[in-house]
Amino acid sequence: MSVPNVVFVLGAPGAGKGTQCTRLSSKYGYTHLSAGDLLRAEVRDNGTDGALIAGIMKEGKIVPSSITVSLLSRAIEKVSGEGTSPTFLIDGFPRTRENWSTWQEIIGEKVNVRFMLLYECEETVCIDRVLKRQEGRSDDTDSIVRKRIASHKSSTVPIIEDFRQMGKLRVVPAGAAVDKVFEDTEKVLEEINKV
Ligand SMILES: Nc1ncnc2c1ncn2[C@@H]1O[C@H](COP(=O)(O)OP(=O)(O)OP(=O)(O)O)[C@@H](O)[C@H]1O
Ligand SMILES: O=c1ccn([C@@H]2O[C@H](COP(=O)(O)O)[C@@H](O)[C@H]2O)c(=O)[nH]1
Ligand SMILES: [Mg+2]
């Protein structure tokens, strides 16, 4: 089988990464892997690092790269072994430059990272969406979402900028309605698939 393609999907908390990945997966059969969901599953299932992860998420900080990359690596291998779609949408990762270097060390050439898709949205809109979200997430509180936004600015924006410098960043405005954001995402994917 050919090497799986990967698209990293980034954006501030509440920008709509999960919403758009779900739609893309159902329309195009891509495999959606949310790093945050994998970490939450470790907490829920009392995994080895569950308590550590829970404490970090409560502070809106970033979990050590070795933990997140090994969860992603296992999930990619599991799905690849099932013979399903070779295109992965990796939602909410890489969060830091260190996340990316650890990914390169551990996963590296096993996959082909095509580009990073960035959902760009006003901070006030993002906060409003997170606080209205009804998914029972313990980090969807006013004080934690502000910490998550601060982590996004200090730790994630630099790796997004690195992808821009590499010519591997595609930006989709995410302040509009879900359908419009989806249409704009499809346009970006069409352009990429022409290359
Ligand atoms: N374009 C949109 N317009 C209005 N509401 C939206 C839009 N996109 C997503 N939402 C809603 O905003 C909330 C956050 O969306 P979503 O969970 O997709 O964001 P996210 O980027 O994955 O956030 P997080 O990083 O916190 O996981 C959800 O309740 C979702 O239904
Ligand atoms: O690569 C990652 C992804 C997530 N985290 C932590 O999880 C929460 C929630 O992430 P969502 O993408 O909003 O689901 C995030 O605030 C981080 O604490 C991480 O450390 N590394
Ligand atoms: Mg999400």
Side-chain angles (χ1 to χ4, degrees):
M1 205 179 18
S2 59
V3 175
N5 284 316
V6 163
V7 175
F8 289 137
V9 182
L10 267 296
K17 303 179 292 294
T19 303
Q20 296 298 327
C21 286
T22 301
R23 289 192 63 165
L24 288 167
S25 306
S26 57
K27 183 158 177 186
Y28 296 102
Y30 302 148
T31 300
H32 174 201
L33 290 179
S34 155
D37 284 350
L38 292 172
L39 293 167
R40 280 185 284 279
E42 275 297 288
V43 174
R44 194 183 50 238
D45 302 342
N46 293 314
T48 325
D49 296 310
L52 172 74
I53 296 168
I56 293 170
M57 286 173 106
K58 209 172 127 209
E59 291 302 319
K61 293 190 174 156
I62 313 291
V63 172
S65 301
S66 56
I67 296 176
T68 313
V69 174
S70 89
L71 290 172
L72 284 168
S73 175
R74 255 185 276 156
I76 290 170
E77 271 170 29
K78 183 165 180 266
V79 175
S80 301
E82 289 164 2
T84 46
S85 164
T87 296
F88 291 93
L89 302 176
I90 310 276
D91 164 0
F93 180 96
R95 289 293 232 266
T96 64
R97 285 180 162 148
E98 203 226 342
N99 272 177
W100 172 231
S101 57
T102 305
W103 168 285
Q104 288 172 297
E105 280 161 29
I106 296 181
I107 301 180
E109 304 300 312
K110 289 182 208 156
V111 300
N112 171 25
V113 176
R114 296 218 46 210
F115 59 97
M116 178 184 281
L117 189 60
L118 173 67
Y119 287 103
E120 222 167 41
C121 188
E122 289 283 332
E123 188 174 311
T124 49
V125 174
C126 286
I127 293 175
D128 188 54
R129 287 181 187 171
V130 166
L131 296 181
K132 285 188 180 140
R133 182 164 52 188
Q134 302 282 314
E135 290 178 8
R137 274 178 56 170
S138 57
D139 59 350
D140 280 354
T141 66
D142 187 69
S143 69
I144 303 178
V145 76
R146 286 175 197 282
K147 291 180 183 169
R148 288 157 59 198
I149 299 249
S151 288
H152 175 77
K153 286 183 185 163
S154 63
S155 303
T156 310
V157 168
I159 184 62
I160 292 171
E161 289 309 317
D162 290 349
F163 271 71
R164 196 192 302 274
Q165 290 298 319
M166 290 190 279
K168 286 203 164 198
L169 184 72
R170 301 292 180 275
V171 181
V172 175
V178 172
D179 286 353
K180 166 73 175 136
V181 178
F182 188 65
E183 271 171 35
D184 290 345
T185 305
E186 287 186 302
K187 282 183 198 151
V188 165
L189 295 178
E190 273 165 30
E191 281 305 309
I192 287 284
N193 288 329
K194 279 185 205 158
V195 182

